[in-house]
Amino acid sequence: MAKATGLFRVMPKKRNLELLMLLFGFGLFAFELSQVQLATIQILREDAWFIWALPVLAASVFHLVLRFKASDADPIILPIGFLLNSLGITMIYRLDLVKALDDPDRTVGERQVIWTVIAIVLAAAVLWLVRSHLSFRKYIYSAMALGIILLILPLLPVIGNPTSGAHLSVRIGPISFQPGELAKIAFIVFFAGYLTSRREALAVVGRKVLGIRIPPARELGPIVFIWLASLGVLVLQRDLGTSLLYFGLFLVLLYVATGRAFYVLVGLVMFVAGALIASRLMNYVGDRVSAWLDPLSDLNYGAIGGSYQLVQSMFGLAHGGLFGTGLGGGLPSIVPLAESDFIISAIGEELGLVGFFALLSLYMVLVARALRIANAHADDFSKLLAVGLGFVIALQCFIVIGGVLRVVPLTGLTTPLLAAGGSSLVANWIIIALLLRLSDTLPKPGTVSE
Amino acid sequence: MSELALFIVRAGFLIILWLFVLSIISIIRADLFSERVLSKVVEKNLPTSVSSPTTGITSVGNFSAAPGSATIVSAISETPATLVVIDGPLQGLELVLDRKEIRIGRAPNNEFVIDDDYASSQHARLQRTDDGWLLQDLNSTNGTYVDGARIGAPVAIKQDMQVRIGKTIFELRG
């Protein structure tokens, strides 16, 4: 077989391709940082070297870990992750440079750099320690318990830290963290493991009514349970985005596992019904919907928590137009929370529609790679895990970018890898590490696995 | 900075950003087409002395009656010479492997016809190489499994490895 495997190396070595693209990304990052400094403060600051050097160092370490521990992993996932992350750092740093005039102690950019390093090092550790994702199958119920604990943490009295109405983050000393971001990984592992063992029953059993196969009531139990849990998130944590993310994730994995649109249909009807009732009962959901439908009305624009932010972001995007104002040339700092929830509008203003599409293509390629990995795996658990990891990025992008662009009501989620926030970075880099692990353990050409 | 320099930097950044995206896409393209390059290389390495069939052989029955089997089998003695179906509707069937390529699938123009809803019309092919038989899945819907694992790229089949296509399981014997 040695001779035959030699033939499979027609393509350049994967890790060398990855290194090449990473070096491209490092160069682009330096370009971005110099451009924002020259455009906003007209000089290059020498004390800002670490903003470039630390993430570059961390990504290089990750690349070395891949060389030794996962040499067959997909070559483009890491460069895409780094590019998105570094563009986010640039934007946040750029906002810092402008806002420092009012608030000299502002260090969002520096914190983002430190969190990036922590996140990439943690991802490298995950890749190092997890030799095969199949070992997760033993812990699917532990994963469920972990996910639920992580979701409940922000509701606890001492460490809970409500911000702008939502109970999402936990504060211990100076560090604040959103455990829900990590919970999504735990839930993906649980859903994938659970559906692997139940898919036969969910797909085949049931009576046919009007040509649609209705599964028996007891098989609907888990779906109802997940529905109630996600409504619970909506009511207790007051966060529509997270609730939609978990429920959408579950529905998609259910559909992939069984191939039956019936579940998606029923699930969507249930979720919309639940959300409608919630919007009647809870003011904040209703406010979000009316700000979405009619942001320019005086009532919504002037209200506290109304559409002011959304409208400013729309003006910013219009200001950017097709080619943008150039990095550092726009006024994204007018939009409240431009470094986190609305980073997409800051990027859209400064890079224009052309740059915005480049960014969306990178997300699309990332998700497409995850689906390709899922397709190439032979066993159900690996397939579902890869679909879940890829789809959670896609759905989160849709919810938050769609919210900023007024496709759907605005909800507070972070743009994966771009937005300021440590927990989001850690969670998304771990997702990247798991996707790399999944792509490294694909059935190898010319050999028979297992 | 002057207006012109600013414009060049702005446009330059967008161009470089798109260059990054396009390089990523070209890597994906190379990845997609690398398998096709592989199959050409494999074909080139095949022994050219083995004569290919000249007449269209349409069914399993015709197959074992094909002439010229003895010389090839003796030339490559280690290579398995028969295909034995050990499970499925065709259980017990034996085929003498006396040509350089055996096409497997549901369509009647295959050398080994598997009449099974789970088999694609052009499902897989076995190719004789210097190192033995190479099994390649031809993008079938339900896949080809060797010892329980679905194969992506061509796999060398040794004696006693079990190959499953649809409901049919076969192995190669000497």
Side-chain angles (χ1 to χ4, degrees):
Chain A
M1 222 34 237
K3 192 182 168 193
T5 41
L7 298 174
F8 294 96
R9 298 290 179 193
V10 180
M11 213 176 141
K13 287 231 174 68
K14 287 177 176 172
R15 295 277 74 79
N16 294 346
L17 276 173
E18 178 181 87
L19 182 62
L20 199 70
M21 291 312 294
L22 261 185
L23 291 175
F24 196 155
F26 295 164
L28 203 61
F29 189 24
F31 189 142
E32 290 160 15
L33 283 173
S34 335
Q35 196 186 343
V36 293
Q37 289 186 1
L38 289 174
T40 52
I41 52 175
Q42 277 80 40
I43 47 156
L44 285 176
R45 277 174 62 165
E46 279 166 23
D47 61 337
W49 61 272
F50 70 94
I51 293 187
W52 181 80
L54 288 183
V56 164
L57 193 68
S60 309
V61 169
F62 196 17
H63 171 72
L64 283 179
V65 171
L66 277 169
R67 272 191 189 262
F68 290 110
K69 292 289 168 182
S71 59
D72 254 338
D74 193 289
I76 60 176
I77 293 177
L78 174 60
I80 291 179
F82 179 80
L83 191 102
L84 291 170
N85 196 163
S86 64
L87 191 61
I89 292 175
T90 307
M91 215 56 198
I92 295 160
Y93 176 65
R94 175 240 177 282
L95 289 163
D96 273 4
L97 286 176
V98 177
K99 289 187 176 177
L101 302 173
D102 304 326
D103 175 13
D105 295 332
R106 200 181 145 85
T107 54
V108 186
E110 275 129 59
R111 265 185 291 157
Q112 181 78 349
V113 169
I114 292 165
W115 273 115
T116 300
V117 173
I118 294 173
I120 296 180
V121 168
L122 280 176
V126 166
L127 199 74
W128 189 295
L129 297 174
V130 181
R131 291 298 169 81
S132 165
H133 57 279
L134 292 176
S135 55
F136 287 154
R137 279 202 75 169
K138 284 178 275 182
Y139 306 112
I140 59 172
Y141 289 100
S142 320
M144 179 188 73
L146 181 69
I148 292 174
I149 291 170
L150 286 170
L151 271 186
I152 293 173
L153 274 182
L155 298 172
L156 297 181
V158 180
I159 53 175
N161 178 33
T163 43
S164 56
H167 295 261
L168 284 175
S169 60
V170 164
R171 178 174 286 277
I172 301 168
I175 302 164
S176 122
F177 202 79
Q178 295 194 358
E181 288 281 345
L182 285 176
K184 74 187 177 192
I185 301 175
F187 281 126
I188 292 169
V189 172
F190 167 64
F191 291 160
Y194 172 78
L195 290 169
T196 305
S197 52
R198 302 299 300 158
R199 64 173 286 235
E200 294 288 324
L202 288 165
V204 186
V205 186
R207 289 172 293 121
K208 264 201 169 181
V209 179
L210 296 173
I212 302 169
R213 201 182 287 278
I214 312 283
R218 69 189 153 84
E219 296 296 351
L220 281 173
I223 305 170
V224 174
F225 176 74
I226 303 280
W227 176 65
L228 286 175
S230 62
L231 282 185
V233 170
L234 184 67
V235 175
L236 295 173
Q237 302 202 329
R238 303 172 59 78
D239 187 50
L240 187 63
T242 312
S243 161
L244 186 61
L245 186 68
Y246 291 141
F247 198 63
L249 182 66
F250 180 68
L251 280 188
V252 161
L253 287 181
L254 192 62
Y255 176 64
V256 171
T258 62
R260 295 177 58 185
F262 171 78
Y263 290 117
V264 179
L265 207 70
V266 169
L268 281 180
V269 169
M270 277 161 70
F271 189 80
V272 170
L276 277 179
I277 295 168
S279 70
R280 297 269 171 229
L281 296 180
M282 287 183 296
N283 286 332
Y284 89 100
V285 180
D287 289 350
R288 288 286 170 88
V289 173
S290 67
W292 167 56
L293 291 174
D294 191 12
L296 293 173
S297 78
D298 278 345
L299 191 68
N300 284 329
Y301 186 76
I304 295 168
S307 61
Y308 174 80
Q309 189 183 27
L310 197 57
V311 170
Q312 291 306 324
S313 141
M314 284 158 60
F315 289 162
L317 289 170
H319 181 211
L322 201 52
F323 295 102
T325 59
L327 282 173
L331 295 165
S333 51
I334 294 174
V335 184
L337 290 180
E339 69 279 350
S340 55
D341 289 12
F342 273 72
I343 193 153
I344 271 297
S345 104
I347 288 173
E349 177 175 355
E350 304 217 316
L351 298 184
L353 192 67
V354 172
F356 195 81
F357 275 173
L359 209 68
L360 289 186
S361 339
L362 289 177
Y363 277 120
M364 194 182 71
V365 168
L366 191 61
V367 174
R369 288 314 268 184
L371 296 182
R372 182 182 142 78
I373 292 167
N375 196 27
H377 262 290
D379 64 293
D380 292 343
F381 180 70
S382 310
K383 277 180 190 291
L384 287 171
L385 192 62
V387 169
L389 293 170
F391 183 75
V392 83
I393 297 176
L395 186 61
Q396 194 162 344
C397 279
F398 172 76
I399 293 173
V400 65
I401 298 176
V404 171
L405 300 181
R406 268 189 70 220
V407 178
V408 290
L410 183 67
T411 54
L413 278 182
T414 54
T415 320
L417 296 166
L418 277 177
S423 30
S424 169
L425 278 179
V426 169
N428 285 302
W429 273 106
I430 289 177
I431 287 178
I432 285 183
L434 292 179
L435 282 175
L436 287 166
R437 175 50 76 210
L438 274 156
S439 67
D440 183 55
T441 48
L442 284 180
K444 299 277 188 299
T447 58
V448 179
S449 63
E450 290 173 80
Chain B
M1 277 196 286
S2 71
E3 276 298 303
L4 182 68
L6 203 64
F7 174 79
I8 292 170
V9 170
R10 268 166 49 186
F13 181 75
L14 287 179
I15 290 168
I16 299 172
L17 188 62
W18 271 103
L19 275 180
F20 184 88
V21 175
L22 294 176
S23 332
I24 292 276
I25 290 170
S26 77
I27 292 178
I28 295 175
R29 194 185 158 280
D31 187 25
L32 282 178
F33 287 100
S34 60
E35 275 189 38
R36 184 170 296 175
V37 175
L38 159 82
S39 60
K40 275 182 198 149
V41 176
V42 170
E43 264 160 36
K44 228 180 283 172
N45 284 12
L46 286 174
T48 46
S49 59
V50 181
S51 60
S52 54
T54 46
T55 51
I57 293 170
T58 50
S59 74
V60 176
N62 289 350
F63 179 80
S64 47
S69 56
T71 49
I72 297 162
V73 173
S74 61
I76 309 167
S77 55
E78 284 171 57
T79 308
T82 46
L83 182 158
V84 183
V85 179
I86 54 177
D87 199 0
L90 299 171
Q91 190 178 359
L93 181 85
E94 288 190 24
L95 294 178
V96 180
L97 304 174
D98 61 352
R99 58 198 67 220
K100 70 166 185 175
E101 186 184 80
I102 311 290
R103 288 170 297 167
I104 306 170
R106 203 168 44 166
N109 66 342
N110 288 293
E111 276 81 302
F112 181 17
V113 179
I114 296 181
D115 190 16
D116 181 341
D117 287 344
Y118 294 101
S120 301
S121 47
Q122 310 293 332
H123 195 106
R125 74 174 163 212
L126 276 167
Q127 284 180 309
R128 186 195 290 274
T129 68
D130 290 343
D131 301 334
W133 289 97
L134 203 62
L135 178 67
Q136 185 183 13
D137 185 82
L138 301 173
N139 279 331
S140 66
T141 314
N142 293 306
T144 303
Y145 292 79
V146 175
D147 286 344
R150 186 170 182 162
I151 63 170
V155 170
I157 303 295
K158 300 275 183 285
Q159 291 202 20
D160 299 317
M161 277 185 169
Q162 295 198 342
V163 181
R164 184 170 72 76
I165 290 174
K167 293 176 202 151
T168 303
I169 299 177
F170 63 83
E171 56 184 42
L172 304 184
R173 290 183 190 162

